[in-house]
Amino acid sequence: MPKLLRAVRLDDSDDHVFKACGAAKDGEWVVTGGYAVCDFANAPRCEPSCHCASSFVALESRARCSIAEVVEVTDADLDTQDDALAWHLVRNWGAPSWADARRLADEEVRHTAEVCETLSPEVWITVKREPNVDGSAIEEQYSVYDRLMIGAHAL
């Protein structure tokens, strides 16, 4: 069964960190977000900072989050998320056509599903992006954490 990511909100820290672009809501569908990363080598950093080097991007709102949870989905869910991201690319990013937007959205959603493929449902992940050695591409490194069971332990 395929897997995707949902935003995790432990507290309001993402509201402060992602003040410039907005924080994703808890449970909102997110993708790895490699398509929405600054040019680390050549472009000036965003001011205020977008923190794109260490965040996921919400499919519909383009808001960001720092932690995501792996969840099982159906193929129909993948198609629904492809459409959501494609519409966002057309409406808000000026994609040249629906076909181009849908193709990019499909690539991003499938990439996210590939990242999640070997991970167990309910684990949490974070991402860290850096330019590769020669600066020709951005490399993504993911860290995996056991889901925090808030309220599951006696104090």
Side-chain angles (χ1 to χ4, degrees):
M1 179 168 255
K3 297 172 215 150
L4 278 180
L5 299 172
R6 286 194 181 264
V8 172
R9 295 289 303 268
L10 299 175
D11 56 27
D12 67 349
S13 59
D14 278 358
D15 289 327
H16 302 284
V17 171
F18 304 115
K19 192 180 294 186
C21 56
K25 296 178 191 130
D26 189 52
E28 190 172 359
W29 291 108
V30 297
V31 289
T32 57
Y35 71 94
V37 175
C38 299
D39 180 352
F40 297 140
N42 300 314
R45 294 285 185 181
C46 299
E47 189 57 49
S49 178
C50 66
H51 298 281
C52 63
S54 58
S55 62
F56 300 100
V57 177
L59 285 165
E60 291 189 48
S61 67
R62 203 178 108 196
R64 294 183 179 269
C65 72
S66 53
I67 303 171
E69 181 174 5
V70 176
V71 295
E72 290 182 330
V73 296
T74 65
D75 289 328
D77 291 329
L78 292 175
D79 287 339
T80 299
Q81 301 318 316
D82 283 348
D83 286 343
L85 180 55
W87 278 118
H88 180 73
L89 294 172
V90 168
R91 290 182 188 139
N92 301 310
W93 280 30
S97 70
W98 167 255
D100 289 338
R102 188 60 162 78
R103 195 169 26 263
L104 176 65
D106 182 64
E107 286 176 22
E108 184 64 22
V109 170
R110 300 295 172 221
H111 172 70
T112 302
E114 288 173 11
V115 167
C116 297
E117 192 171 45
T118 61
L119 302 175
S120 300
E122 298 186 354
V123 299
W124 290 350
I125 69 171
T126 59
V127 62
K128 178 68 178 158
R129 295 182 181 89
E130 297 178 326
N132 64 1
V133 175
D134 66 3
S136 62
I138 301 293
E139 294 181 352
E140 295 178 329
Q141 180 180 9
Y142 298 93
S143 297
V144 179
Y145 305 91
D146 288 332
R147 181 179 180 198
L148 179 63
M149 300 302 288
I150 298 172
H153 304 287
L155 296 176

